[in-house]
Amino acid sequence: MQTHEIRERFIQHFVNAGHQEVPSASLILDDPNLLFVNAGMVPFKPYFLGQQTPPFPQGTATSIQKCVRTLDIEEVGITTRHNTFFQMAGNFSFGQYFKAGAIKHAWELLTNPVAQGGYGMDPEKLWVTVYLDDDEAAEIWEHEIGLPKERIQRLGMADNYWSMGVPGPCGPCSEIYYDRGPEYGKEGGPIADDSRYLEIWNLVFMEKERGEGIGKDNFEILGDLPKKNIDTGLGVERVACLLQGVDNVYETDLLRPVIDVAEKLTGAAYGQGGQNDIRFRVIADHSRTGMMLILDGVTPGNEGRGYILRRLLRRIIRSARLLGATGETMGVFMNTIMDTMTPSYPEIAEHRERILQVAINEEKAFLRTLESGTHLFEEAAASVKASGSHVLAGAQAFALHDTYGFPIDLTLEMAAEAGLEVDQEGFHSLMAEQRARAKADSQAKKHGHADLSIYREFVDEHPTEFTGYTESTSNAQVLGLITEGKLLPTASVGDNVEVILDTTPMYAESGGQLGDRGIIRTGDTILRVNDVQKIGKKLWVHKATVEQGELEVGANVEASVDAQWRHAARQAHSATHLIHAALREVLGPTAVQAGSMNKPGYLRFDFNWTQPLTREQLQRIEAITNEAVDHDWAVNTLETSLEEAKAMGAMALFGENYGDQVRVVEIGGPFSMELCGGIHVDHASQIGPVAVLGESSIGSGARRIEAYSGLDSFTYLSRERALAAGLATALKSPSEELPERIAALTEKLKEAEKEIAALHRKQLAAKTGEYLASARTINGFQVITATLPQGTSAGDLRTTAIDLKGRLGEQPGVIILGAQDDKNKAPFVVGATQSAIQRGVKSGQLVGILGGFVGGRGGGKPDMAQGSGNDASGFDAGFAAVVNALENL
Ligand code: SER
């Protein structure tokens, strides 16, 4: 049975039983605790906790959720059941049916004959586990389902008590296993061998709320949830593996085609066992995960989600190379996996080009890194071995990473292959130092991944009401004051404090727009707000300084946005949308946003693109943007459902969830339509002029456009104009002819410089005779000292010294020259003939003496040494000192 059919049967089974079908949420949800959605229940969390009423008529739902788990990335391909991307099919009951209902539904779907819509599994092959003291579930399995007692096993908290690993809903669970037969392992049920007995479905009886704690079995139970709920998760890939009669999840219908093309591309054969098979499976698994992450808007980077994507893609590339591929392979893998996945995820079709481009760019960049890095690694490995050690130092691994972008996991793998270990502790402590340095600032400003627990109560109890779309001043109450992670009752003059209000008109940084600046005041008390950040989606934190008076928790205050800031911030944010729209008009739809930042007067916009933009492209982007301003289109915002917004063609990539209300900002109808929570102008003309500053690369396959907006554009353009006018006057040329005029002048200047240099050399050559004639005999040496004409370069000094040495021939001669060059430096040189050297002259030493008199240093070999100082007036005294040294030799 094909995977698509497994999905369909699941949904159909539960829809028939009154469940509402809910589409998969994006892999990226706005939850600070979760990098990726990793279970079917994640989007339903507020319903379990009773924070929101589930919007499903019967109080039940079913979904097939995209999930990514990368904790076990090393296990991929080694075990038979670890996919980093998988689809979790689930049914959910919010206070409706409980244990008996969930167990019956599951049993029916698994064992009903195929002709009746089920999976047709042999009931004899099914085993279950229940939580230690969950007699209720055990009874249901035994008496209502009729499962023999010996196939019901009990396990402890670590296995049969499910939570998200963080505070939230939890409860005991019952897991269903399929016995794959003796060729897969030993008898005795899931407690004896969880490879032979494959877990396929987890039924969680969600009835408690857990608190902080560590791991799967060490946390506090805070109490009962408002209702008893059901959350189940069936592993679609594992069921596919069983129903398709293949050995492992990498050989099912959706992944096997990738292995097949990998065989063709690399020339290696799958199915021979050993490392190669693992590599094929890594390619198949990671291609799919990488593709699905890019689909949901992740781009390769060095931190967080971006890093995970990068790591996956790089593991594919390396595996392919180890299998024998020599060129690029990513395009083929991506095309293959997109083909197999599109029937279940039709949206892939729209994003095909973009997905390909992101993946291929990463491959190109990585192949370059691999080339230089491998070479460096080999050198490092050879020197480690030569020194008799088998441990690559942490500092070496760090240098490979820091300087050459060589990821540590790759260093580890390559070291293992070379029979070496890596001092990981040393590496990580260097990394930690570097990170601490880099993050110290930004962490102080934002929250990073700091402990957020202090905010949790506010998030849950008092989410902030934001009034800033319509108001710039609001009355509010102070709910909390926080400094360095601690709650305070009051804050007084000079204190830097985080203020939590029940209501605020101030925008908190998000969607690329910086937080507002403003004032919080009550009576004589004044706080200046320097930044506003958001915790999750719901809590606004004002970072403020008390400028006057004292502020108490509970006080009624007036919060107002700095009007000038807001005016320019709106201009910049709307300008960002226009630049985005113009960019796509010029470059096409594959130029996808990778990030943006805007603040009053300035914006930058990052997008995926490999080549530098031409000057013409930039000019067109700027022109289209300003034409849109000139159209004076109305800027409309509307709130609607995510589905509706997508249907309208609004651009949406990140973090939105099914059923979410979203805000669409539209400028000029189809010209620009984006999901955006930011603050915008009412009419395009209010943006004022937009001046593009330029564009640049920001690393692997991404580029950045920068621009000014509003008055800042004017100031910038006006400065440029003044500059051009100044040049025009100075060069006595109309400003439009400046480029040619300057090119001509530069050319002339180059010629003149060449001529001067030639003259100089001639002059020097002419003078060489004079210098030679000035030689004095000192202590048996022919000594020449001379200050050469102003403007003589260090190179010319050297040439003259060589020339003089040559002319002195066999005589023991010492030449000591100095000059003042064009840059106000005082270069000097000392040269000695062979016979002088035999008599003990060392030019390096003499040059050191001379340097001391002209404020400089120098060095070199016995026959020729040079240096540079900054005080040519010291040469005479310096020459005398050198001569003195020669006298005493
Ligand atoms: N939430 C449970 C799991 O992830 C069941 O869906 O296993």
Side-chain angles (χ1 to χ4, degrees):
M1 191 181 294
Q2 300 287 290
T3 304
H4 303 303
E5 192 175 337
I6 295 171
R7 289 166 46 105
E8 270 162 31
R9 282 173 183 253
F10 188 94
I11 293 291
Q12 210 44 56
H13 179 74
F14 286 101
V15 166
N16 290 345
H19 295 64
Q20 162 126 6
E21 180 183 355
V22 176
S24 173
S26 162
L27 281 166
I28 297 152
L29 287 187
D30 195 4
D31 183 331
N33 288 317
L34 273 190
L35 221 41
F36 300 114
V37 170
N38 60 2
M41 53 73 66
V42 172
F44 302 122
K45 199 169 118 189
Y47 311 143
F48 288 123
L49 292 172
Q51 291 166 337
Q52 285 175 32
T53 315
F56 315 121
Q58 317 267 347
T60 54
T62 179
S63 71
I64 299 191
Q65 174 64 44
K66 309 184 257 189
C67 296
V68 167
R69 292 186 189 170
T70 52
L71 266 183
D72 294 339
I73 195 165
E74 313 291 347
E75 294 293 314
V76 169
I78 298 174
T79 74
T80 56
R81 58 183 193 283
H82 274 95
N83 274 141
T84 51
F85 170 92
F86 59 94
Q87 307 173 80
M88 193 181 279
N91 55 295
F92 306 91
S93 153
F94 307 101
Q96 308 298 319
Y97 60 81
F98 197 47
K99 294 184 187 177
I103 290 174
K104 276 185 208 147
H105 278 308
W107 186 258
E108 278 167 18
L109 176 59
L110 293 179
T111 59
N112 273 356
V114 173
Q116 286 166 33
Y119 294 144
M121 288 183 181
D122 177 358
E124 299 298 313
K125 298 253 168 78
L126 297 175
W127 290 63
V128 303
T129 58
V130 298
Y131 182 54
L132 286 181
D133 66 2
D134 194 354
D135 297 334
E136 189 189 347
E139 297 264 309
I140 298 169
W141 280 116
E142 192 183 343
H143 297 119
E144 296 190 35
I145 301 297
L147 202 66
K149 214 177 170 132
E150 57 280 12
R151 281 197 272 135
I152 304 169
Q153 299 185 314
R154 299 205 184 213
L155 281 172
M157 206 154 179
D159 295 287
N160 274 52
Y161 202 97
W162 197 86
S163 80
M164 294 172 73
V166 291
C170 66
C173 60
S174 179
E175 297 181 335
I176 307 176
Y177 291 77
Y178 187 94
D179 178 4
R180 297 205 277 168
E183 65 272 34
Y184 287 93
K186 58 177 188 275
E187 303 272 339
I191 60 171
D193 187 334
D194 63 359
S195 187
R196 164 169 170 177
Y197 300 89
L198 187 65
E199 182 203 332
I200 49 175
W201 203 338
N202 185 11
L203 316 179
V204 184
F205 311 126
M206 209 81 109
E207 52 182 344
K208 303 277 185 199
E209 182 170 357
R210 70 162 268 185
E212 299 290 347
I214 308 156
K216 291 184 169 177
D217 51 359
N218 190 5
F219 50 81
E220 197 190 346
I221 304 285
L222 301 177
D224 289 334
L225 291 175
K227 290 182 176 157
K228 288 180 188 293
N229 310 293
I230 288 296
D231 150 37
T232 87
L234 166 115
V236 172
E237 283 63 24
R238 291 185 181 181
V239 171
C241 169
L242 297 175
L243 296 187
Q244 293 169 13
V246 292
D247 265 353
N248 58 61
V249 290
Y250 314 99
E251 293 172 19
T252 53
D253 58 328
L254 300 184
L255 292 184
R256 178 70 209 211
V258 182
I259 295 186
D260 294 341
V261 294
E263 279 188 304
K264 285 205 196 95
L265 266 178
T266 62
Y270 180 68
Q272 316 285 306
Q275 282 295 323
N276 274 6
D277 277 4
I278 297 173
R279 289 172 186 142
F280 278 112
R281 295 182 195 135
V282 163
I283 293 174
D285 173 87
H286 291 7
S287 294
R288 176 163 69 172
T289 312
M291 187 274 288
M292 294 302 283
L293 287 177
I294 302 171
L295 175 67
D296 278 359
V298 184
T299 48
N302 289 331
E303 276 184 57
R305 297 176 178 127
Y307 180 67
I308 292 190
L309 173 60
R310 170 158 287 167
R311 187 162 173 219
L312 291 166
L313 296 178
R314 292 182 166 192
R315 279 171 55 101
I316 300 175
I317 298 159
R318 233 181 85 73
S319 301
R321 286 175 80 83
L322 289 172
L323 285 171
T326 47
E328 294 180 10
T329 53
M330 195 56 89
V332 177
F333 297 149
M334 286 291 142
N335 273 319
T336 309
I337 195 67
M338 287 194 282
D339 288 344
T340 71
M341 294 297 285
T342 304
S344 289
Y345 300 91
E347 64 271 27
I348 293 171
E350 284 167 54
H351 293 274
R352 238 185 134 102
E353 266 311 298
R354 175 177 66 83
I355 293 170
L356 265 181
Q357 228 179 48
V358 171
I360 290 174
N361 287 344
E362 180 65 13
E363 176 174 43
K364 286 196 162 79
F366 186 55
L367 289 179
R368 284 195 297 271
T369 303
L370 257 187
E371 217 159 281
S372 50
T374 305
H375 181 65
L376 288 159
F377 172 84
E378 277 160 5
E379 270 177 15
S383 80
V384 168
K385 284 183 178 165
S387 74
S389 163
H390 65 283
V391 182
L392 192 72
Q396 282 169 307
F398 180 74
L400 275 166
H401 169 89
D402 194 46
T403 319
Y404 306 104
F406 218 55
I408 180 64
D409 38 66
L410 200 53
T411 306
L412 288 175
E413 276 175 32
M414 291 178 63
E417 280 159 24
L420 293 177
E421 282 168 29
V422 178
D423 170 13
Q424 290 197 58
E425 215 169 285
F427 170 82
H428 286 297
S429 84
L430 289 168
M431 282 297 283
E433 270 173 39
Q434 187 199 41
R435 232 176 277 136
R437 277 195 304 274
K439 287 226 168 133
D441 282 354
S442 62
Q443 205 137 43
K445 182 171 167 270
K446 303 192 179 165
H447 303 284
H449 284 283
D451 180 13
L452 300 177
S453 55
I454 187 129
Y455 305 102
R456 189 156 278 134
E457 193 187 321
F458 295 106
V459 174
D460 292 342
E461 309 279 326
H462 303 285
T464 313
E465 186 190 338
F466 175 61
T467 54
Y469 291 134
T470 50
E471 290 177 7
S472 56
T473 297
S474 301
N475 293 323
Q477 198 186 15
V478 178
L479 299 178
L481 296 170
I482 298 173
T483 296
E484 286 167 9
K486 294 201 176 57
L487 291 167
L488 306 173
T490 54
S492 36
V493 174
D495 287 352
N496 288 319
V497 65
E498 296 181 355
V499 185
I500 298 186
L501 302 174
D502 62 344
T503 299
T504 185
M506 283 179 247
Y507 186 75
E509 177 170 346
S510 59
Q513 181 177 342
L514 287 200
D516 272 332
R517 304 296 185 255
I519 295 284
I520 297 173
R521 92 170 68 221
T522 169
D524 289 339
T525 300
I526 298 180
L527 281 84
R528 179 162 304 280
V529 176
N530 308 311
D531 191 13
V532 187
Q533 292 289 327
K534 227 192 270 190
I535 306 284
K537 281 187 176 169
K538 296 192 193 148
L539 190 72
W540 269 237
V541 177
H542 306 77
K543 316 239 166 172
T545 311
V546 185
E547 293 201 329
Q548 203 174 297
E550 195 179 79
L551 188 68
E552 275 181 11
V553 171
N556 290 316
V557 296
E558 186 187 86
S560 41
V561 181
D562 178 326
Q564 227 175 338
W565 172 281
R566 173 60 77 79
H567 169 68
R570 281 160 31 124
Q571 290 181 315
H573 199 158
S574 300
T576 311
H577 283 214
L578 296 186
I579 290 265
H580 185 187
L583 186 87
R584 289 168 70 92
E585 205 163 298
V586 173
L587 300 181
T590 54
V592 165
Q593 171 161 11
S596 72
M597 193 281 272
N598 60 82
K599 61 179 187 181
Y602 168 87
L603 68 96
R604 58 175 197 234
F605 186 86
D606 302 341
F607 55 103
N608 295 315
W609 199 253
T610 36
Q611 299 111 29
L613 302 195
T614 62
R615 187 197 289 256
E616 289 69 35
Q617 284 171 323
L618 268 188
Q619 277 171 351
R620 273 192 62 210
I621 290 167
E622 191 181 53
I624 293 170
T625 304
N626 283 286
E627 277 157 23
V629 170
D630 191 55
H631 270 296
D632 196 19
W633 276 316
V635 178
N636 295 311
T637 57
L638 77 137
E639 301 239 341
T640 177
S641 67
L642 178 62
E643 290 65 36
E644 186 66 22
K646 281 192 179 160
M648 287 162 49
M651 260 179 291
L653 270 184
F654 302 100
E656 282 82 18
N657 197 358
Y658 169 82
D660 274 356
Q661 280 296 101
V662 295
R663 186 165 177 269
V664 179
V665 175
E666 168 255 302
I667 312 177
F671 177 67
S672 164
M673 209 188 282
E674 296 191 32
L675 294 198
C676 173
I679 310 266
H680 289 270
V681 297
D682 304 318
H683 278 266
S685 65
Q686 291 168 332
I687 297 172
V690 181
V692 171
L693 286 171
E695 67 95 43
S696 54
S697 162
I698 51 164
S700 127
R703 304 196 71 84
R704 167 172 295 171
I705 285 197
E706 291 177 278
Y708 287 128
S709 56
L711 205 52
D712 287 84
S713 296
F714 169 76
T715 313
Y716 166 74
L717 294 172
S718 150
R719 216 172 39 223
E720 295 282 296
R721 188 181 55 176
L723 193 70
L727 286 174
T729 315
L731 298 179
K732 299 195 183 61
S733 151
S735 53
E736 59 278 13
E737 284 167 25
L738 279 176
E740 294 92 76
R741 175 104 177 94
I742 290 175
L745 278 176
T746 319
E747 195 47 41
K748 245 190 193 167
L749 193 65
K750 257 194 226 148
E751 293 289 308
E753 274 169 353
K754 261 194 227 156
E755 254 166 58
I756 291 173
L759 278 174
H760 217 102
R761 277 195 295 279
K762 245 192 204 162
Q763 208 178 11
L764 275 182
K767 282 212 154 194
T768 312
E770 265 174 50
Y771 299 142
L772 193 67
S774 77
R776 291 171 282 162
T777 312
I778 287 159
N779 193 9
F781 296 108
Q782 292 298 306
V783 178
I784 301 172
T785 59
T787 315
L788 272 56
Q790 168 113 29
T792 306
S793 68
D796 288 343
L797 269 187
R798 208 182 146 84
T799 314
T800 312
I802 292 170
D803 191 2
L804 286 169
K805 258 173 60 176
R807 298 208 202 181
L808 285 173
E810 304 286 296
Q811 307 177 61
V814 183
I815 296 113
I816 308 146
L817 308 176
Q820 184 162 31
D821 70 6
D822 281 337
K823 294 168 193 121
N824 256 339
K825 289 261 172 240
F828 48 87
V829 58
V830 174
T833 60
Q834 273 312 311
S835 52
I837 295 169
Q838 272 154 21
R839 281 196 48 201
V841 172
K842 292 196 176 80
S843 298
Q845 231 164 41
L846 300 180
V847 102
I849 297 173
L850 183 53
F853 288 81
V854 295
R857 277 196 287 186
K861 302 221 173 89
D863 66 326
M864 181 70 76
Q866 58 191 37
S868 177
N870 49 28
D871 178 15
S873 71
F875 276 129
D876 287 343
F879 293 159
V882 176
V883 168
N884 191 31
L886 286 171
E887 265 166 356
N888 295 321
L889 201 71

